[in-house]
Amino acid sequence: MTDPQNGDAAAPSSDAPAAGDPARDKAAKGPDGLRAVDRTVTLLLALSRHPEGVSLADLAREAGITLTTAHRILATLRKSGLVRETPSGRQALGVTSLILANAFLDGVDVRSEARPHLTALRDDTNETCHLGVLASSQIVYIDKLDSRQRVRMFSSIGGTGPALTTAIGRAILAHSSGELVERTVKAAAHEHDGSPDLAAVLAQSERVRGEGYSTDLEENEPGICCVGAPVFDHAGRVVAGLSLSTPTSRFDRAGLPDLGRKVRATADAISRAMGYPAPEAR
């Protein structure tokens, strides 16, 4: 039986194949099973953009699925703790998502290698420093050291930002394969209004490679300027990016080249700690 609104597979009836039954396993691998997984992931990603919670109607609308389907998927996710319902009736990520996130962060060795270098950069500039990795069309911040100044950037570890408009995202994409850049652009077009220009992104990546650092001069967030650079592992793969973020009121555009070299030098130091050859040996 299917959902009359969108053709989704309905909840199994009492005479549906039991768990472990070959018929059920075969059905789970079919198109309907894969579609359910895809919609579940879409819902979880949508929830990640609303840490304070979101109404069921708004969530379903953002995910592009019907209320019936969203309600059914969320009921299953609540059983495992991946989703919870807030006292006000909103849908939000549950505690199990934190367990998964912590497991992910614990497995990213670049965090421990980068921390002393990020600390040195923060102490030298007294501006906020971030370390991030690419996830679809987003950058996920896996570490952050705050400026000690009173006016500073608001962000958090585990938070996200658009890969196409953040300094970290631009630094990573500039050293990624053309296929990955194209996938990122397509994902951004799917998740947000408008269609990013692939040719413009590629041209920007070429400039970043030429200058050695990336910039986000209030293009992602008004009042905030960022300078970024890529981090490589022992195999020469770009695995992360770092950025230095400062309020526009303190940003010295005339000193951008010097700041860019300083950020890139920090990224190079982290890359060397990850086993990547020193710049002069490349």
Side-chain angles (χ1 to χ4, degrees):
M1 181 180 294
T2 60
D3 184 331
Q5 296 187 60
N6 60 10
D8 294 338
S13 61
S14 59
D15 59 351
D21 187 298
R24 175 168 178 162
D25 293 341
K26 182 178 180 180
K29 296 176 182 178
D32 287 343
L34 293 175
R35 184 166 52 187
V37 171
D38 181 67
R39 286 172 172 163
T40 299
V41 171
T42 300
L43 277 177
L44 288 172
L45 290 175
L47 283 171
S48 73
R49 295 189 286 271
H50 300 279
E52 75 288 353
V54 60
S55 71
L56 175 59
D58 288 342
L59 178 63
R61 187 180 305 110
E62 184 174 332
I65 61 179
T66 66
L67 279 171
T68 301
T69 301
H71 184 272
R72 184 168 61 244
I73 293 174
L74 291 171
T76 300
L77 293 174
R78 276 195 292 271
K79 293 178 183 178
S80 62
L82 281 167
V83 169
R84 63 187 173 89
E85 187 168 294
T86 69
S88 62
R90 290 173 171 263
Q91 306 301 313
L93 290 175
V95 67
T96 302
S97 64
L98 178 61
I99 295 173
L100 294 176
N102 285 337
F104 167 74
L105 293 175
D106 288 342
V108 182
D109 293 335
V110 68
R111 292 178 70 215
S112 58
E113 300 294 347
R115 176 52 79 99
H117 302 287
L118 287 179
T119 300
L121 180 62
R122 190 275 309 275
D123 291 347
D124 181 37
T125 62
N126 199 14
E127 297 293 355
T128 299
C129 295
H130 294 92
L131 185 71
V133 295
L134 180 66
S136 185
S137 68
Q138 298 289 310
I139 289 300
V140 180
Y141 299 113
I142 61 174
D143 206 356
K144 177 193 179 185
L145 290 173
D146 277 312
S147 164
R148 296 189 178 93
Q149 303 198 56
R150 297 180 66 179
V151 178
R152 57 195 181 192
M153 179 179 180
F154 174 77
S155 58
S156 60
I157 296 175
T160 61
L164 299 184
T165 56
T166 55
I168 289 180
R170 289 171 171 176
I172 293 176
L173 291 175
H175 297 273
S176 299
S177 68
E179 180 182 357
L180 178 57
V181 173
E182 186 172 354
R183 287 205 308 269
T184 303
V185 170
K186 287 182 178 178
H190 175 71
E191 295 173 9
H192 308 286
D193 293 334
S195 298
D197 185 346
L198 176 60
V201 173
L202 293 174
Q204 181 182 72
S205 293
E206 186 174 354
R207 289 195 300 272
V208 170
R209 289 191 295 272
E211 295 174 348
Y213 58 89
S214 60
T215 59
D216 157 24
L217 305 181
E218 298 189 88
E219 296 153 276
N220 183 60
E221 183 178 346
I224 297 293
C225 291
C226 304
V227 181
V231 173
F232 302 91
D233 67 5
H234 67 283
R237 296 169 299 206
V238 59
V239 292
L242 69 88
S243 70
L244 184 145
S245 304
T246 177
T248 303
S249 59
R250 290 201 301 265
F251 188 72
D252 178 15
R253 289 183 181 248
L256 176 57
D258 288 337
L259 185 60
R261 284 189 287 270
K262 184 174 293 188
V263 171
R264 180 59 190 260
T266 301
D268 285 342
I270 298 171
S271 296
R272 289 194 295 273
M274 297 287 290
Y276 191 53
E280 58 270 19
R282 293 177 198 167

